[in-house]
Amino acid sequence: MVTPRNVETRHARPGMAPGHAIESVAADSSGVMIHRQRYNDTVFREEPAIGLDAALTGIGPDTVDWLHFDAVPDATALRWLQEELGLDSLALEDVHNGQQRSKLEFYEGHSFMVISVPVVSDTGLEVEQLSLFLGPHWVISFWSGDPALLEPVRQRLRKPVAGRIRKRGADYLFYCLLDVAVDSCFPVLEMIRGQIEALEERLLEAPDSLQVGDIHEVRRKLAGLRRLVLPGLTALQQLLHDEESPLQPSTRRYVRDVLDHQARVGDQVDNLTELTASLHEMHLSAISQRMNDVMRLLTVIATIFIPLTFITGLYGMNFDRTISRWNMPELGLRFGYPLVLLLCLALAIVMIWWFRRRDWL
């Protein structure tokens, strides 16, 4: 089942003003540490743990600044970001509350995007929220999940020879973060595909060992992924086609590739959902076939015993032979009992032979 992880459920009380959770606290940046990378095609500087005051020092158009929070800061730190960078209080409230669906919002001077990322853990399939702010020459990211997700982007920035990412603007870094988030869905889909194939093998080898709950668990995972994919597609399409989009023309073609990947994720989810539905039908068919085999065997057994029951029931009638000679005279035969047993055995053998000849057994 797709469930959120490491995110406390927080909701504003009904009737509160939008953004109240951020605006109602005093601004404070003490104790908040972030990971900053500042770069251009000739300069690269990385500081893995600095305070907010130091992180915002020197931000300007000459370099691109990537400020990353590896955990969601408290409301006071978010309030400080609002005052220093002018980040919208509604977007900061979404970062603070968490568990948001994928979406894109445009504000004055910056854009805000949320991407829901499925994560495989020891307890199953869960969801983490990647929150991104894009400014004119800076990107701010919030990600409390596995740090390995964003490590490929950092490695590209660390290369001694400046690559494409260091030669382009903040919108290209924004694209790179979206790309790793969307592409992280493919290993999850491969894991689910492997589970479906394992269930199919179990179904073919030992249908009785497969439980309906095993199939429904996979179906719940796919349903959760479907709920993640559709909002992501909408947000990426909005990022590409909206008039307020901050993307440069040179970056749009890369984002179109991300949109294509997201569409492929959706297609694979649909495909796996159909496979799971087929697996469920196969399971029901196997159960039905098993039941039919059992019923056929029981029917054959009952059919064999019908004439035998008739014979034994006939000779179980207690007519008095001393009153009339027609009252079951064969009971007086010397070998009457063995003859009846042989008759019953012969009838059973003949019927079994006939059933096998008709492929009923």
Side-chain angles (χ1 to χ4, degrees):
M1 183 177 180
V2 180
T3 55
R5 180 167 68 97
N6 296 337
V7 179
E8 179 186 355
T9 302
R10 295 182 287 265
H11 301 284
R13 293 193 304 273
M16 291 180 61
H20 182 271
I22 304 300
E23 294 179 343
S24 62
V25 297
D28 182 14
S29 63
S30 60
V32 179
M33 306 301 291
I34 68 172
H35 188 135
R36 183 181 74 176
Q37 288 179 301
R38 174 171 292 170
Y39 64 90
N40 57 26
D41 56 348
T42 59
V43 175
F44 175 74
R45 182 180 179 184
E46 181 173 13
E47 297 166 290
I50 60 174
L52 273 176
D53 292 303
L56 298 182
T57 302
I59 288 183
D62 296 334
T63 58
V64 174
D65 285 88
W66 177 16
L67 310 179
H68 175 68
F69 295 80
D70 57 8
V72 178
D74 57 23
T76 57
L78 295 177
R79 170 69 170 169
W80 191 87
L81 282 174
Q82 180 190 15
E83 292 185 347
E84 294 297 322
L85 291 177
L87 301 182
D88 191 271
S89 60
L90 292 177
L92 291 172
E93 186 180 25
D94 288 341
V95 174
H96 176 65
N97 291 338
Q99 302 187 34
Q100 305 297 316
R101 68 199 303 264
S102 298
K103 64 179 181 179
L104 173 66
E105 300 288 348
F106 300 113
Y107 302 106
E108 184 177 354
H110 65 280
S111 303
F112 172 65
M113 191 165 185
V114 171
I115 289 291
S116 298
V117 182
V119 178
V120 179
S121 69
D122 296 336
T123 58
L125 185 61
E126 299 163 344
V127 171
E128 294 283 2
Q129 173 178 311
L130 175 62
S131 304
L132 301 173
F133 287 91
L134 172 61
H137 43 78
W138 48 262
V139 173
I140 301 177
S141 59
F142 299 86
W143 172 251
S144 57
D146 187 358
L149 177 74
L150 306 181
E151 191 60 27
V153 180
R154 292 198 179 99
Q155 293 295 339
R156 291 168 62 185
L157 289 171
R158 291 170 184 153
K159 289 182 179 180
V161 179
R164 183 185 297 121
I165 189 172
R166 299 244 312 258
K167 296 178 181 178
R168 295 178 180 268
D171 61 332
Y172 190 83
L173 173 62
F174 188 78
Y175 144 74
C176 292
L177 297 176
L178 292 178
D179 186 54
V180 296
V182 172
D183 286 351
S184 66
C185 295
F186 290 109
V188 175
L189 291 172
E190 289 301 318
M191 178 202 69
I192 296 177
R193 184 182 296 275
Q195 293 177 350
I196 294 175
E197 292 175 352
L199 291 176
E200 186 175 9
E201 291 179 1
R202 286 175 55 190
L203 178 61
L204 295 176
E205 294 176 359
D208 294 339
S209 67
L210 187 62
Q211 301 296 325
V212 177
D214 299 332
I215 300 176
H216 282 298
E217 179 64 25
V218 176
R219 296 182 69 174
R220 283 194 293 269
K221 291 179 182 179
L222 292 170
L225 285 175
R226 166 52 60 190
R227 289 193 295 270
L228 302 183
V229 169
L230 293 179
L233 279 173
T234 302
L236 289 170
Q237 290 171 347
Q238 184 183 358
L239 182 63
L240 275 173
H241 304 301
D242 198 288
E243 295 180 354
E244 300 182 71
S245 176
L247 299 180
Q248 300 295 324
S250 59
T251 307
R252 290 179 184 270
R253 67 190 185 99
Y254 297 105
V255 176
R256 279 194 292 270
D257 184 64
V258 177
L259 177 62
D260 178 68
H261 289 185
Q262 186 79 349
R264 286 173 52 196
V265 170
D267 292 340
Q268 291 193 30
V269 169
D270 290 339
N271 183 31
L272 293 177
T273 301
E274 293 177 359
L275 289 177
T276 307
S278 299
L279 189 65
H280 187 249
E281 293 176 358
M282 289 174 59
H283 182 244
L284 294 179
S285 299
I287 293 177
S288 178
Q289 181 64 36
R290 175 66 174 169
M291 183 62 67
N292 290 338
D293 292 340
V294 172
M295 293 302 298
R296 181 174 60 181
L297 178 61
L298 294 178
T299 302
V300 168
I301 294 174
T303 304
I304 291 174
F305 274 90
I306 286 175
L308 306 185
T309 304
F310 171 76
I311 295 174
T312 56
L314 178 66
Y315 285 100
M317 294 185 294
N318 298 319
F319 287 100
D320 190 353
R321 294 180 57 244
T322 61
I323 297 177
S324 172
R325 62 187 181 88
W326 297 106
N327 287 346
M328 308 184 74
E330 60 271 23
L331 292 179
L333 295 177
R334 181 178 180 84
F335 299 104
Y337 178 66
L339 289 175
V340 171
L341 291 180
L342 289 174
L343 175 62
C344 292
L345 180 61
L347 283 173
I349 292 174
V350 169
M351 294 182 70
I352 291 174
W353 170 79
W354 176 253
F355 290 151
R356 291 183 65 88
R357 183 177 179 182
R358 299 295 297 270
D359 291 331
W360 293 352
L361 279 178

